[in-house]
Amino acid sequence: MRWSVLWIALAMGVVSAPCVFAQGAAKPAAAQKKGEAKTLQTKDGWSIAITYFESTREKDAAVVVLIPGKNDNQAMWAAFAGELNSVHDMAVITVDLRKQPKGKSSPPTGAIGAAKNPMVSKLDVEAMLAFDLDVVKRFIFEEHQNKKLNMRRLALIGGDTGTALAVQYAALDWAKLPYDDAPTLANRTPKGQDVQALVLLSPTDTFPGTNISQVLPVLRAAGVACMQVYSNKAKKDVEIADKINQGLGGNKADKPKDGDKDKPSKLALVPLDSTAAKGVDVLGKPVVVGNQTVPVNALIGGFLAKQLKEPEIEWRDRKSKLD
């Protein structure tokens, strides 16, 4: 599968024929800035902590949401979030979902019972999808309406169990029908269908409250792009990555033709031979591309830039004409 990594890297400009490494239109590392901490209120009363890295591209800005695994929290994404923001000028959001260990989100005042139990249940996972990620999307909508970003250029990055949430939420987003506020479908205001790309770090398909197999056909029909990064030393991760890739319409036996280098696939597999790291810990790990070694972060950044920034996706008002 290494050929796919080399081809994707060449097409994205992460590496070039003379073996010159670059991260696209990179800004100096010193330009990296800290995000702004915010608290969002869910419909069921939870206070969800996020950190928001604003883009200077305003209504042309792509936006990326980083979803942690069940044993992680948003602090683990901080350096990578700042890198995506400073190098690629994307708006980036990190989030602590409910019951995230050492996270800053909190239940309603006076909550008892299940809300106070640190164990994550199937109901908690369903609430992460229905409430926590929903309130993040509502925040993105508000920033979109203020012309601070373009929500149609949205990507989700998940680590470990966060990958299952990313896949499931993307499918829920694409299942939302537009408002019935115009005679023709093309002129109706969208409610969702914004997620253009997924990046899955150590993909999993076993998080209670999610069902990846059921929703992959929705994402395949929508043409959602997907990069998967995983250790070759983890047999289960390799199997799940192949399963997701094929569910999205990919085939690891298909090799692109030389003339297709300017048309990178929307599906990318990035197996890591040098590490057994999982989830967010794969960030910064080296990937052998041709006769070069490049960091995983560069491949992810290049993939997202190609999928989110290059397509012509105009900003449009997302307030329903019925309001």
Short mmCIF file of all heavy atoms in Angstrom, two decimals, residues 259-311:
data_model
loop_
_atom_site.label_atom_id
_atom_site.label_comp_id
_atom_site.label_asym_id
_atom_site.label_seq_id
_atom_site.Cartn_x
_atom_site.Cartn_y
_atom_site.Cartn_z
N GLY A 259 -0.73 9.42 -15.41
CA GLY A 259 -1.40 10.63 -15.89
C GLY A 259 -2.43 11.17 -14.91
O GLY A 259 -2.98 12.24 -15.13
N ASP A 260 -2.67 10.45 -13.81
CA ASP A 260 -3.67 10.87 -12.83
C ASP A 260 -3.05 11.61 -11.65
O ASP A 260 -3.74 11.88 -10.68
CB ASP A 260 -4.44 9.66 -12.29
CG ASP A 260 -5.33 9.04 -13.33
OD1 ASP A 260 -5.70 9.75 -14.29
OD2 ASP A 260 -5.65 7.85 -13.20
N LYS A 261 -1.77 11.95 -11.71
CA LYS A 261 -1.10 12.53 -10.55
C LYS A 261 -1.70 13.87 -10.12
O LYS A 261 -1.57 14.27 -8.97
CB LYS A 261 0.39 12.68 -10.81
CG LYS A 261 1.13 11.35 -10.77
CD LYS A 261 2.61 11.52 -11.03
CE LYS A 261 3.33 10.18 -10.98
NZ LYS A 261 4.78 10.32 -11.28
N ASP A 262 -2.32 14.58 -11.06
CA ASP A 262 -2.92 15.86 -10.71
C ASP A 262 -4.35 15.71 -10.20
O ASP A 262 -5.02 16.68 -9.90
CB ASP A 262 -2.92 16.81 -11.92
CG ASP A 262 -1.51 17.23 -12.32
OD1 ASP A 262 -0.66 17.26 -11.41
OD2 ASP A 262 -1.29 17.50 -13.49
N LYS A 263 -4.82 14.46 -10.12
CA LYS A 263 -6.17 14.18 -9.65
C LYS A 263 -6.10 13.18 -8.50
O LYS A 263 -6.39 11.99 -8.68
CB LYS A 263 -7.03 13.63 -10.78
CG LYS A 263 -7.18 14.56 -11.97
CD LYS A 263 -7.98 13.92 -13.07
CE LYS A 263 -8.10 14.83 -14.29
NZ LYS A 263 -8.86 14.19 -15.38
N PRO A 264 -5.65 13.63 -7.32
CA PRO A 264 -5.45 12.69 -6.22
C PRO A 264 -6.76 12.05 -5.77
O PRO A 264 -7.82 12.68 -5.81
CB PRO A 264 -4.88 13.57 -5.10
CG PRO A 264 -5.34 14.95 -5.45
CD PRO A 264 -5.37 15.00 -6.95
N SER A 265 -6.67 10.80 -5.39
CA SER A 265 -7.85 10.09 -4.91
C SER A 265 -8.39 10.75 -3.66
O SER A 265 -7.65 11.39 -2.90
CB SER A 265 -7.46 8.64 -4.59
OG SER A 265 -8.50 8.00 -3.89
N LYS A 266 -9.68 10.59 -3.45
CA LYS A 266 -10.26 11.09 -2.21
C LYS A 266 -10.03 10.13 -1.06
O LYS A 266 -10.39 10.43 0.08
CB LYS A 266 -11.77 11.33 -2.41
CG LYS A 266 -12.09 12.55 -3.25
CD LYS A 266 -13.55 12.92 -3.12
CE LYS A 266 -13.83 14.29 -3.72
NZ LYS A 266 -15.19 14.74 -3.45
N LEU A 267 -9.47 8.96 -1.35
CA LEU A 267 -9.22 7.95 -0.31
C LEU A 267 -7.72 7.71 -0.20
O LEU A 267 -7.05 7.46 -1.20
CB LEU A 267 -9.95 6.66 -0.65
CG LEU A 267 -11.47 6.79 -0.85
CD1 LEU A 267 -12.05 5.43 -1.22
CD2 LEU A 267 -12.14 7.35 0.39
N ALA A 268 -7.19 7.77 1.01
CA ALA A 268 -5.75 7.58 1.22
C ALA A 268 -5.51 6.70 2.44
O ALA A 268 -6.08 6.93 3.51
CB ALA A 268 -5.07 8.93 1.41
N LEU A 269 -4.66 5.70 2.27
CA LEU A 269 -4.24 4.83 3.37
C LEU A 269 -2.78 5.16 3.70
O LEU A 269 -1.93 5.17 2.81
CB LEU A 269 -4.36 3.36 2.97
CG LEU A 269 -5.78 2.86 2.68
CD1 LEU A 269 -5.73 1.44 2.14
CD2 LEU A 269 -6.64 2.92 3.93
N VAL A 270 -2.51 5.42 4.97
CA VAL A 270 -1.15 5.76 5.40
C VAL A 270 -0.72 4.80 6.50
O VAL A 270 -0.89 5.08 7.69
CB VAL A 270 -1.06 7.22 5.89
CG1 VAL A 270 0.38 7.58 6.25
CG2 VAL A 270 -1.61 8.18 4.83
N PRO A 271 -0.19 3.63 6.14
CA PRO A 271 0.29 2.68 7.14
C PRO A 271 1.66 3.09 7.67
O PRO A 271 2.52 3.52 6.90
CB PRO A 271 0.37 1.37 6.35
CG PRO A 271 0.61 1.79 4.94
CD PRO A 271 -0.07 3.12 4.76
N LEU A 272 1.86 3.00 8.96
CA LEU A 272 3.13 3.37 9.59
C LEU A 272 3.88 2.10 9.99
O LEU A 272 3.37 1.29 10.76
CB LEU A 272 2.87 4.24 10.82
CG LEU A 272 2.03 5.50 10.60
CD1 LEU A 272 1.82 6.24 11.92
CD2 LEU A 272 2.69 6.42 9.58
N ASP A 273 5.09 1.94 9.47
CA ASP A 273 5.88 0.75 9.76
C ASP A 273 6.75 0.91 11.00
O ASP A 273 7.18 -0.07 11.59
CB ASP A 273 6.77 0.42 8.57
CG ASP A 273 5.97 0.07 7.33
OD1 ASP A 273 4.91 -0.57 7.47
OD2 ASP A 273 6.40 0.44 6.22
N SER A 274 7.03 2.17 11.38
CA SER A 274 8.05 2.43 12.40
C SER A 274 7.52 2.56 13.82
O SER A 274 8.28 2.80 14.75
CB SER A 274 8.81 3.71 12.04
OG SER A 274 7.92 4.82 12.04
N THR A 275 6.20 2.44 14.02
CA THR A 275 5.63 2.70 15.34
C THR A 275 4.40 1.84 15.61
O THR A 275 3.73 1.41 14.67
CB THR A 275 5.24 4.19 15.46
OG1 THR A 275 4.71 4.44 16.77
CG2 THR A 275 4.20 4.57 14.42
N ALA A 276 4.14 1.62 16.88
CA ALA A 276 2.90 0.96 17.30
C ALA A 276 1.95 1.96 17.94
O ALA A 276 0.96 1.58 18.56
CB ALA A 276 3.22 -0.16 18.29
N ALA A 277 2.26 3.25 17.79
CA ALA A 277 1.44 4.30 18.37
C ALA A 277 0.01 4.25 17.84
O ALA A 277 -0.23 3.81 16.70
CB ALA A 277 2.05 5.67 18.09
N LYS A 278 -0.93 4.73 18.67
CA LYS A 278 -2.33 4.74 18.28
C LYS A 278 -2.93 6.12 18.49
O LYS A 278 -2.47 6.89 19.32
CB LYS A 278 -3.12 3.71 19.10
CG LYS A 278 -2.80 2.27 18.76
CD LYS A 278 -3.60 1.30 19.62
CE LYS A 278 -5.08 1.33 19.28
NZ LYS A 278 -5.36 0.76 17.96
N GLY A 279 -3.98 6.40 17.74
CA GLY A 279 -4.73 7.63 17.93
C GLY A 279 -3.89 8.88 17.74
O GLY A 279 -3.05 8.96 16.85
N VAL A 280 -4.09 9.84 18.62
CA VAL A 280 -3.40 11.12 18.50
C VAL A 280 -1.89 10.97 18.59
O VAL A 280 -1.13 11.82 18.11
CB VAL A 280 -3.92 12.09 19.59
CG1 VAL A 280 -3.48 11.65 20.97
CG2 VAL A 280 -3.49 13.53 19.32
N ASP A 281 -1.42 9.85 19.16
CA ASP A 281 0.03 9.64 19.30
C ASP A 281 0.74 9.38 17.97
O ASP A 281 1.97 9.37 17.92
CB ASP A 281 0.30 8.49 20.27
CG ASP A 281 -0.05 8.84 21.70
OD1 ASP A 281 -0.03 10.04 22.04
OD2 ASP A 281 -0.37 7.92 22.49
N VAL A 282 -0.01 9.13 16.89
CA VAL A 282 0.65 8.94 15.59
C VAL A 282 1.11 10.27 15.01
O VAL A 282 1.94 10.29 14.09
CB VAL A 282 -0.25 8.20 14.57
CG1 VAL A 282 -0.76 6.89 15.13
CG2 VAL A 282 -1.40 9.09 14.09
N LEU A 283 0.57 11.38 15.51
CA LEU A 283 0.97 12.69 14.99
C LEU A 283 2.46 12.90 15.23
O LEU A 283 2.98 12.63 16.31
CB LEU A 283 0.17 13.80 15.67
CG LEU A 283 -1.33 13.80 15.37
CD1 LEU A 283 -2.05 14.85 16.22
CD2 LEU A 283 -1.59 14.05 13.89
N GLY A 284 3.14 13.39 14.22
CA GLY A 284 4.57 13.62 14.32
C GLY A 284 5.43 12.42 13.97
O GLY A 284 6.64 12.55 13.83
N LYS A 285 4.81 11.25 13.81
CA LYS A 285 5.57 10.06 13.47
C LYS A 285 6.02 10.13 12.01
O LYS A 285 5.36 10.74 11.17
CB LYS A 285 4.74 8.80 13.69
CG LYS A 285 4.27 8.59 15.13
CD LYS A 285 5.44 8.49 16.09
CE LYS A 285 4.96 8.22 17.52
NZ LYS A 285 6.07 8.24 18.49
N PRO A 286 7.14 9.49 11.69
CA PRO A 286 7.66 9.54 10.32
C PRO A 286 6.95 8.57 9.38
O PRO A 286 6.51 7.51 9.78
CB PRO A 286 9.13 9.17 10.49
CG PRO A 286 9.13 8.26 11.69
CD PRO A 286 8.06 8.80 12.61
N VAL A 287 6.83 8.98 8.12
CA VAL A 287 6.29 8.13 7.07
C VAL A 287 7.32 8.08 5.95
O VAL A 287 7.81 9.13 5.52
CB VAL A 287 4.96 8.68 6.51
CG1 VAL A 287 4.38 7.72 5.47
CG2 VAL A 287 3.96 8.92 7.62
N VAL A 288 7.64 6.90 5.48
CA VAL A 288 8.56 6.77 4.35
C VAL A 288 7.78 6.97 3.06
O VAL A 288 6.82 6.25 2.79
CB VAL A 288 9.25 5.39 4.34
CG1 VAL A 288 10.16 5.27 3.11
CG2 VAL A 288 10.06 5.20 5.62
N VAL A 289 8.16 7.99 2.30
CA VAL A 289 7.51 8.31 1.03
C VAL A 289 8.59 8.30 -0.05
O VAL A 289 9.42 9.20 -0.12
CB VAL A 289 6.82 9.69 1.09
CG1 VAL A 289 6.12 9.98 -0.22
CG2 VAL A 289 5.83 9.74 2.24
N GLY A 290 8.59 7.27 -0.89
CA GLY A 290 9.65 7.13 -1.87
C GLY A 290 10.97 6.93 -1.14
O GLY A 290 11.13 6.02 -0.35
N ASN A 291 11.92 7.83 -1.38
CA ASN A 291 13.19 7.75 -0.67
C ASN A 291 13.34 8.87 0.35
O ASN A 291 14.43 9.26 0.73
CB ASN A 291 14.36 7.78 -1.66
CG ASN A 291 14.38 9.05 -2.49
OD1 ASN A 291 13.47 9.87 -2.39
ND2 ASN A 291 15.41 9.21 -3.31
N GLN A 292 12.20 9.39 0.81
CA GLN A 292 12.18 10.44 1.83
C GLN A 292 11.44 9.97 3.07
O GLN A 292 10.65 9.02 3.01
CB GLN A 292 11.49 11.70 1.31
CG GLN A 292 12.16 12.37 0.14
CD GLN A 292 11.42 13.63 -0.22
OE1 GLN A 292 11.54 14.65 0.44
NE2 GLN A 292 10.64 13.56 -1.27
N THR A 293 11.68 10.65 4.17
CA THR A 293 10.90 10.44 5.38
C THR A 293 10.25 11.76 5.76
O THR A 293 10.95 12.77 5.92
CB THR A 293 11.79 9.93 6.53
OG1 THR A 293 12.39 8.69 6.15
CG2 THR A 293 10.95 9.71 7.79
N VAL A 294 8.93 11.77 5.87
CA VAL A 294 8.21 13.00 6.19
C VAL A 294 7.29 12.75 7.37
O VAL A 294 6.92 11.60 7.65
CB VAL A 294 7.38 13.49 4.97
CG1 VAL A 294 8.28 13.78 3.80
CG2 VAL A 294 6.30 12.49 4.61
N PRO A 295 6.93 13.78 8.13
CA PRO A 295 6.02 13.59 9.26
C PRO A 295 4.58 13.38 8.82
O PRO A 295 4.14 13.94 7.81
CB PRO A 295 6.18 14.89 10.06
CG PRO A 295 6.62 15.90 9.07
CD PRO A 295 7.44 15.17 8.05
N VAL A 296 3.86 12.58 9.58
CA VAL A 296 2.44 12.34 9.31
C VAL A 296 1.69 13.66 9.17
O VAL A 296 0.82 13.81 8.30
CB VAL A 296 1.83 11.50 10.44
CG1 VAL A 296 0.30 11.59 10.43
CG2 VAL A 296 2.25 10.05 10.32
N ASN A 297 2.02 14.64 10.02
CA ASN A 297 1.30 15.92 10.02
C ASN A 297 1.31 16.58 8.64
O ASN A 297 0.32 17.20 8.23
CB ASN A 297 1.92 16.88 11.03
CG ASN A 297 1.94 16.32 12.44
OD1 ASN A 297 1.99 15.11 12.63
ND2 ASN A 297 1.92 17.20 13.41
N ALA A 298 2.44 16.45 7.93
CA ALA A 298 2.54 17.08 6.62
C ALA A 298 1.59 16.44 5.63
O ALA A 298 0.96 17.13 4.82
CB ALA A 298 3.98 16.99 6.11
N LEU A 299 1.48 15.11 5.68
CA LEU A 299 0.54 14.42 4.79
C LEU A 299 -0.90 14.81 5.09
O LEU A 299 -1.70 15.03 4.18
CB LEU A 299 0.71 12.91 4.92
CG LEU A 299 1.97 12.29 4.30
CD1 LEU A 299 2.00 10.79 4.56
CD2 LEU A 299 2.04 12.56 2.81
N ILE A 300 -1.22 14.87 6.37
CA ILE A 300 -2.59 15.25 6.76
C ILE A 300 -2.90 16.67 6.30
O ILE A 300 -3.95 16.94 5.71
CB ILE A 300 -2.79 15.12 8.27
CG1 ILE A 300 -2.65 13.65 8.71
CG2 ILE A 300 -4.16 15.68 8.69
CD1 ILE A 300 -2.69 13.45 10.21
N GLY A 301 -1.98 17.60 6.57
CA GLY A 301 -2.19 18.99 6.17
C GLY A 301 -2.35 19.12 4.67
O GLY A 301 -3.23 19.85 4.19
N GLY A 302 -1.52 18.41 3.91
CA GLY A 302 -1.62 18.46 2.45
C GLY A 302 -2.92 17.88 1.95
O GLY A 302 -3.54 18.41 1.02
N PHE A 303 -3.34 16.77 2.56
CA PHE A 303 -4.60 16.13 2.18
C PHE A 303 -5.78 17.07 2.41
O PHE A 303 -6.63 17.26 1.54
CB PHE A 303 -4.78 14.85 2.99
CG PHE A 303 -6.06 14.10 2.72
CD1 PHE A 303 -6.19 13.31 1.59
CD2 PHE A 303 -7.12 14.17 3.61
CE1 PHE A 303 -7.35 12.60 1.35
CE2 PHE A 303 -8.29 13.47 3.38
CZ PHE A 303 -8.41 12.69 2.24
N LEU A 304 -5.82 17.70 3.59
CA LEU A 304 -6.92 18.61 3.90
C LEU A 304 -6.90 19.85 3.01
O LEU A 304 -7.95 20.33 2.57
CB LEU A 304 -6.86 19.03 5.38
CG LEU A 304 -7.13 17.92 6.39
CD1 LEU A 304 -6.98 18.45 7.81
CD2 LEU A 304 -8.53 17.33 6.19
N ALA A 305 -5.71 20.37 2.73
CA ALA A 305 -5.63 21.53 1.85
C ALA A 305 -6.19 21.20 0.47
O ALA A 305 -6.90 22.00 -0.14
CB ALA A 305 -4.17 21.99 1.74
N LYS A 306 -5.88 20.00 -0.02
CA LYS A 306 -6.35 19.58 -1.33
C LYS A 306 -7.87 19.40 -1.35
O LYS A 306 -8.55 19.79 -2.31
CB LYS A 306 -5.68 18.26 -1.72
CG LYS A 306 -5.66 17.98 -3.21
CD LYS A 306 -4.64 18.84 -3.91
CE LYS A 306 -4.57 18.54 -5.40
NZ LYS A 306 -3.61 19.42 -6.09
N GLN A 307 -8.41 18.83 -0.28
CA GLN A 307 -9.84 18.50 -0.26
C GLN A 307 -10.72 19.68 0.13
O GLN A 307 -11.88 19.76 -0.29
CB GLN A 307 -10.10 17.34 0.70
CG GLN A 307 -9.28 16.09 0.43
CD GLN A 307 -9.54 15.49 -0.94
OE1 GLN A 307 -10.57 15.71 -1.55
NE2 GLN A 307 -8.57 14.72 -1.44
N LEU A 308 -10.19 20.60 0.95
CA LEU A 308 -11.02 21.68 1.49
C LEU A 308 -10.78 23.04 0.86
O LEU A 308 -11.71 23.82 0.66
CB LEU A 308 -10.79 21.81 3.00
CG LEU A 308 -11.06 20.58 3.87
CD1 LEU A 308 -10.78 20.91 5.33
CD2 LEU A 308 -12.48 20.07 3.69
N LYS A 309 -9.52 23.35 0.54
CA LYS A 309 -9.18 24.69 0.10
C LYS A 309 -9.23 24.86 -1.42
O LYS A 309 -9.58 25.93 -1.92
CB LYS A 309 -7.79 25.08 0.62
CG LYS A 309 -7.72 25.19 2.14
CD LYS A 309 -6.30 25.36 2.65
CE LYS A 309 -5.74 26.72 2.29
NZ LYS A 309 -4.40 26.93 2.90
N GLU A 310 -8.88 23.81 -2.15
CA GLU A 310 -8.80 23.95 -3.61
C GLU A 310 -10.15 23.93 -4.33
O GLU A 310 -10.32 24.66 -5.31
CB GLU A 310 -7.88 22.87 -4.18
CG GLU A 310 -6.42 23.09 -3.80
CD GLU A 310 -5.48 22.22 -4.61
OE1 GLU A 310 -5.94 21.59 -5.58
OE2 GLU A 310 -4.28 22.18 -4.27
N PRO A 311 -11.12 23.13 -3.89
CA PRO A 311 -12.40 23.12 -4.61
C PRO A 311 -13.09 24.49 -4.56
O PRO A 311 -12.93 25.24 -3.60
CB PRO A 311 -13.22 22.07 -3.85
CG PRO A 311 -12.22 21.21 -3.18
CD PRO A 311 -11.09 22.12 -2.82
#
